[in-house]
Amino acid sequence: MEASNWTTLHPSTFILLGIPGLEVAHIWISIPFCSVYILSLLGNSLLLAVIKTEPSLHEPMYLFLCMLALADLVVSTTTLPKTLCIFWFTDNVIHTNACLAQIFLIHSVTCMESGFMLAMAFDRYVAICNPLRHSAILTNRAVAKIGLVIVMRGAIFLGPHPFLLKRLPYCRTHVISHTYCEFMALVKLACEDTTVMSAYSLAVSVFTGGLDFILIVLSYILILRAVFRLPTKEARHKSLSTCSAHVITMLVFYTPATFTYFSHRFGHMAPHVHILIANIYLLFPPMMNPIIYGVRTPGIRQRALHILGIKID
């Protein structure tokens, strides 16, 4: 009897519903989802190839961009294949361990993405505010150490999530109304007080994403102050243009992330709207980042066209 009780309260599988209320449209919804995923894979893979094969791009900014591209590939691949299986084959079952792995990867890697955004902002700050010491401060060794710290931060802070969720009893239902496993979605299914766990998750989100965003804003305040002290309009324009791609990338990442986070915890909206926004948050930035840097960075654009065999006169 005790073993049966344990099995009931700690299921070996969960059921992912996809997008409740839009089941009949799953096939149609899968078309843009699949298209965005393919573009993300191709775009980020091409970006990595471009930076690897172009020596002039072996600079801190682009090394951090490589780390961001790898993180984008992990995030989109963690969720999309299973989501497409739900849409195409009604394969709704996911093993508990796979579900917890999804949660860990989604949250830890998005935390890493936020850290890479901060590292890129720091690079722009040093390049503009202290250009003579840029190469001395951000050596390849320093870049590697910063990247390692960001990865370790995400893994350590978000590592407890799957272990905390695994020990929870789920006596309400084993059905998750989502296209992928999400921390708060599982917390809401538990039949045990999860106040401390939710508070820990909130604290981690504020400490990592919130602090990163504040430091990025502070760095750009200092950058703008330094830029407007430059003597000529051309110098100011040139300095600001080196930041434009990063600013757009940052807005693409933080805008849906902030909206998704607060709507899940404090907002009240139709479930299918929330799920669609949550998917956009995970899919849209990985697709857009290579496009943004390809358009805004001549070195990346020209090398990408060369790899693709496209000649521009």
Side-chain angles (χ1 to χ4, degrees), residues 64 67 112 116 142-154:
F64 289 132
M67 298 176 194
M112 294 173 200
F116 296 140
V143 169
K145 285 182 177 180
I146 291 171
L148 181 60
V149 168
I150 290 169
V151 170
M152 289 180 64
R153 182 189 71 164

Side-chain angles (χ1 to χ4, degrees), residues 169-227:
Y170 299 97
C171 57
R172 294 193 178 110
T173 179
H174 304 157
V175 177
I176 303 171
S177 299
H178 215 298
T179 55
Y180 59 84
C181 292
E182 194 178 43
F183 178 79
M184 287 305 298
L186 255 71
V187 165
K188 290 178 179 178
L189 298 183
C191 51
E192 186 176 283
D193 183 26
T194 57
T195 304
V196 174
M197 192 181 302
S198 298
Y200 172 76
S201 178
L202 179 62
V204 168
S205 298
V206 171
F207 180 72
T208 55
L211 181 60
D212 288 349
F213 183 75
I214 290 170
L215 292 174
I216 289 171
V217 171
L218 178 61
S219 70
Y220 271 100
I221 290 172
L222 297 174
I223 287 170
L224 288 173
R225 189 175 70 172
V227 166

